[in-house]
Amino acid sequence: MASVTSLTASVHQHLATALTATLPEAAADPLLRRSDRADFQANGILALAKKAKANPRELATQVVEKVVLGDVIKDIEVSGPGFLNITVTDRAITENLAARAADPEGRLGVPYAETPGTTVIDYAQPNVAKEMHVGHLRSAVIGDSVMRLLEFTGETVVRRHHIGDWGTQFGMLIQYLDEHPHELDHKAGEVTGEQAMSNLDRLYKAARRKFDSDEEFKTRARRRVVDLQAGDPHTLAMWQKFVDESKIYFFSVFEKLDMEIRDADIVGESGYNDMLAETCRLLEESGVAVRSEGALCVFFDDIKGPDGNPVPLIVQKSDGGYGYAATDLSAIRDRVFHHKANSLLYVVDARQSLHFKMVFETARRAGWLNADVKAVQLAFGTVLGKDGKPFKTREGETVRLVDLLDEAIDRASAVVREKARDLSEAEIAERGAQVGIGAVKYADLSTSASRDYKFDLDQMVSLNGDTSVYLQYAYARIQSILRKAGDIRPAAHPELALSEAERALGLHADQFAETVAESAAEYAPHKMAGYLYQLASLYTTFYDKCPVLKAETPEQIENRLFQCDITARILHQGMALLGIRTPERL
């Protein structure tokens, strides 16, 4: 594996060696960070001086005397009460980027995680026979990016889409379909996602009308729920028709979102039916769950209702039916014991936080989660309209996800058409989709998942500011320069001095590997988004201040082309980790 030692790590090593030579008994951490005063600042000496009862400025001066200057560190000085300001050599910056560019695996020198494990990530969970709305957007977009980040670091990732495909509402639908048997008859590939949704919507409304107006139908529908839960083959076959029709629709939406959702990864609530009784038996026998008024409940000391009484997690209802808790606990058993997961990750709306807190605690008490297996809810905030309130249509309805994506694509296509000089209509349509969907994803991912964010399409497709369009145009601009260079190839020249804009760009480019590691470890795509925006901003400054094809010498032209090329490759790879395309021409 061709991982490249970052400049941060090299400087850290040089300082740690000097610290140990000065204070052999100390655990030497220089606490290094990027700084606007120099390339890096180390402030770990203050804590060490306190421990050693030494004067921090004097200790800092002793350390500086032991630092080896030359290849990596150009200059080091003591500042303030004992900070160290460090400047690295231009040569080290260029050589580091050259090593990244030469990585034979094309990973830009990003190492794999030292101890990768297995993560099951539960995201993108639409409901069968129901339209996907704006609330489904975040789980899908955040989950997809976290999955990509984890896989890039070498983690084994098992994807799970826990679709809502079970429950009492199916009694009504199945009974209606049984009495109107040809409503969903068509061959595979004959209907679009939009048609499938409209079929389901029509059936749902018709079944609901009959359910509300016809007592006998209502009785038959309720009996049908019992048949479904008992596994009656004819009832299951009818249920499967609804699942299949819904999948046609789901896949069309996820395709529009430019997201790969594989059929084998869709394991809905129904997928755990066979485990529910055993889950309840194990919880009851171990004493984790107890019978209360006929229901099987788990109680918690710290979770009480407004009346001060404990609020239990109900695993089985008094009528013998199973709730979400039984399914979620069975899923944990399956993911831990069958998939051998070390981490369980749930990308689920923050409003379900209490439910997951109780489920995880129950699984811990049962011994299914332990020190070796962690479960995390990556809780996300709400999508708000421009007015700062939860996003609704003018009529107060929840917004259909498809309508939202189509509008984003239309807006982006207008932006692309305005800027396009030599693109055909087909190319404008393709780029419009990539820019529009990228804009929606980036707006979501550039905000910390736990925060609410405003859905403002005007802002999202803007060429200015922290948007994916800004990043995509930076990438396309670099590709244009590389095409114009013709036969001149990008090549690193470590012997050349670098301007301030070149150094800033190079030092930031070096931090890509650290950003990947941090974003993956913290399930934080917004850190990657922030890093890429900064990279594009630094590139814009470089582009304004450093002529590339009109540089002073052939070597400088090659070196600046090289800086353009490595920046583009980082932008491309980083955006791919967010699930966003980078068109070659815009």
Side-chain angles (χ1 to χ4, degrees):
M1 170 59 213
S3 73
V4 175
T5 305
S6 69
L7 291 170
T8 312
S10 296
V11 172
H12 187 283
Q13 190 52 55
H14 275 73
L15 291 182
T17 305
L19 274 170
T20 307
T22 313
L23 273 181
E25 66 282 2
D29 185 354
L31 296 180
L32 193 67
R33 59 184 182 82
R34 288 295 310 279
S35 164
D36 48 9
R37 307 256 166 118
D39 295 337
F40 295 97
Q41 189 175 69
N43 50 20
I45 287 181
L46 302 180
L48 282 173
K50 201 171 180 182
K51 266 190 191 160
K53 298 195 168 38
N55 174 316
R57 211 178 150 87
E58 283 173 19
L59 181 61
T61 309
Q62 290 171 340
V63 171
V64 165
E65 285 166 6
K66 293 198 165 53
V67 171
V68 178
L69 299 179
D71 288 348
V72 177
I73 298 179
K74 179 184 177 186
D75 188 36
I76 180 164
E77 58 177 30
V78 181
S79 138
F83 299 126
L84 298 180
N85 286 341
I86 301 120
T87 308
V88 296
T89 64
D90 291 353
R91 173 178 285 278
I93 294 173
T94 305
E95 284 180 343
N96 175 280
L97 295 181
R100 293 191 180 287
D103 177 355
E105 291 187 36
R107 290 175 57 84
L108 301 164
V110 177
Y112 289 100
E114 283 177 25
T115 52
T118 298
T119 296
V120 176
I121 178 168
D122 188 326
Y123 68 106
Q125 310 105 342
N127 291 312
V128 163
K130 284 195 183 158
E131 182 99 55
M132 286 175 73
H133 55 78
V134 69
H136 290 112
L137 180 68
R138 297 208 75 186
S139 174
V141 170
I142 295 166
D144 185 59
S145 177
V146 171
M147 177 272 292
R148 289 162 179 269
L149 282 160
L150 289 171
E151 283 192 343
F152 192 64
T153 64
E155 184 80 0
T156 300
V157 181
V158 179
R159 312 173 197 184
R160 280 290 169 267
H161 310 295
H162 191 93
I163 62 171
D165 65 354
W166 204 247
T168 52
Q169 73 278 18
F170 284 101
M172 174 182 91
L173 291 169
I174 292 167
Q175 188 59 37
Y176 187 83
L177 187 60
D178 201 33
E179 295 173 15
H180 304 78
H182 300 297
E183 289 282 329
L184 290 180
D185 286 358
H186 55 74
K187 292 188 176 69
E190 280 184 352
V191 297
T192 64
E194 199 67 19
Q195 287 165 330
M197 192 62 242
S198 120
N199 290 341
L200 290 164
D201 195 44
R202 189 185 73 247
L203 275 180
Y204 185 84
K205 284 176 177 158
R208 183 88 244 175
R209 272 197 304 274
K210 195 151 175 66
F211 188 84
D212 290 342
S213 63
D214 182 337
E215 281 303 317
E216 286 178 11
F217 178 78
K218 190 181 276 189
T219 306
R220 293 198 297 278
R222 290 193 167 137
R223 245 194 325 251
R224 190 61 82 167
V225 177
V226 179
D227 293 342
L228 178 65
Q229 288 173 339
D232 168 58
H234 174 70
T235 303
L236 279 175
M238 291 287 174
W239 166 80
Q240 191 63 49
K241 281 191 165 187
F242 282 103
V243 175
D244 292 343
E245 195 78 4
S246 299
K247 281 184 179 179
I248 295 170
Y249 163 68
F250 296 159
F251 283 124
S252 73
V253 178
F254 288 124
E255 193 175 331
K256 190 164 281 199
L257 263 171
D258 195 13
M259 221 179 253
E260 183 199 41
I261 301 285
R262 303 179 299 214
D263 198 34
D265 300 330
I266 299 177
V267 184
E269 293 166 8
S270 64
Y272 304 99
N273 284 345
D274 296 348
M275 300 176 70
L276 301 178
E278 191 184 9
T279 295
C280 291
R281 181 179 63 75
L282 291 168
L283 291 171
E284 192 168 10
E285 283 176 5
S286 61
V288 171
V290 294
R291 291 278 166 193
S292 172
E293 296 173 26
L296 187 62
C297 303
V298 183
F299 289 93
F300 309 87
D301 295 339
D302 57 342
I303 301 173
K304 295 189 168 61
D307 53 5
N309 292 329
V311 175
L313 180 71
I314 298 172
V315 187
Q316 190 179 20
K317 301 174 206 161
S318 53
D319 65 3
Y322 300 103
Y324 291 129
T327 309
D328 286 332
L329 287 161
S330 298
I332 288 176
R333 284 176 53 217
D334 177 60
R335 292 165 187 188
V336 172
F337 300 112
H338 176 62
H339 292 288
K340 307 284 187 274
N342 319 95
S343 305
L344 306 179
L345 190 55
Y346 294 79
V347 189
V348 181
D349 189 323
R351 286 172 295 197
Q352 296 189 42
S353 294
L354 180 61
H355 169 78
F356 278 102
K357 181 183 170 186
M358 292 160 88
V359 165
F360 295 162
E361 177 56 31
T362 300
R364 267 192 284 277
R365 290 182 191 176
W368 304 332
L369 294 176
N370 53 36
D372 301 325
V373 188
K374 66 172 179 175
V376 178
Q377 182 195 359
L378 183 50
F380 55 81
T382 308
V383 182
L384 307 174
K386 284 186 192 178
D387 57 2
K389 298 186 176 128
F391 201 25
K392 295 269 195 281
T393 62
R394 287 199 182 126
E395 296 73 43
E397 303 283 316
T398 48
V399 179
R400 294 172 68 218
L401 185 50
V402 173
D403 294 343
L404 202 77
L405 300 179
D406 285 342
E407 192 180 344
I409 291 168
D410 288 347
R411 294 280 187 96
S413 301
V415 172
V416 172
R417 177 172 281 111
E418 204 175 295
K419 299 281 281 189
R421 294 197 186 91
D422 53 355
L423 295 180
S424 68
E425 277 302 307
E427 286 172 319
I428 289 172
E430 183 199 22
R431 306 293 196 283
Q434 294 180 346
V435 171
I437 295 302
V440 170
K441 288 183 177 181
Y442 187 86
D444 192 318
L445 295 171
S446 57
T447 309
S448 164
S450 59
R451 290 175 52 196
D452 300 342
Y453 82 98
K454 279 189 187 166
F455 197 96
D456 179 349
L457 274 176
D458 294 328
Q459 173 54 35
M460 287 178 190
V461 298
S462 164
L463 293 169
N464 305 314
D466 188 1
T467 65
S468 68
V469 193
Y470 176 68
L471 301 180
Q472 286 168 323
Y473 267 97
Y475 178 81
R477 174 186 274 171
I478 298 174
Q479 296 308 321
S480 168
I481 293 170
L482 294 171
R483 284 193 297 274
K484 279 185 193 145
D487 294 337
I488 310 169
R489 309 309 308 152
H493 286 279
E495 73 281 1
L496 293 181
L498 300 177
S499 70
E500 197 178 320
E502 289 174 294
R503 297 184 95 255
L505 181 63
L507 282 163
H508 190 69
D510 173 58
Q511 292 188 287
F512 179 57
E514 287 155 27
T515 307
V516 168
E518 191 180 336
S519 304
E522 297 176 20
Y523 311 130
H526 71 279
K527 295 203 165 174
M528 177 55 70
Y531 168 86
L532 294 171
Y533 173 61
Q534 185 72 28
L535 183 70
S537 305
L538 289 166
Y539 179 77
T540 303
T541 307
F542 161 87
Y543 178 81
D544 291 342
K545 295 192 171 169
C546 306
V548 178
L549 299 176
K550 293 185 176 165
E552 289 165 20
T553 65
E555 290 77 16
Q556 197 173 43
I557 293 174
E558 289 179 349
N559 199 57
R560 286 184 178 168
L561 275 174
F562 165 72
Q563 284 181 289
C564 290
D565 185 47
I566 190 83
T567 302
R569 287 168 64 181
I570 293 171
L571 278 172
H572 174 75
Q573 180 62 72
M575 293 285 267
L577 293 173
L578 299 179
I580 299 174
R581 304 269 175 188
T582 38
E584 301 286 309
R585 290 171 195 260
L586 274 176

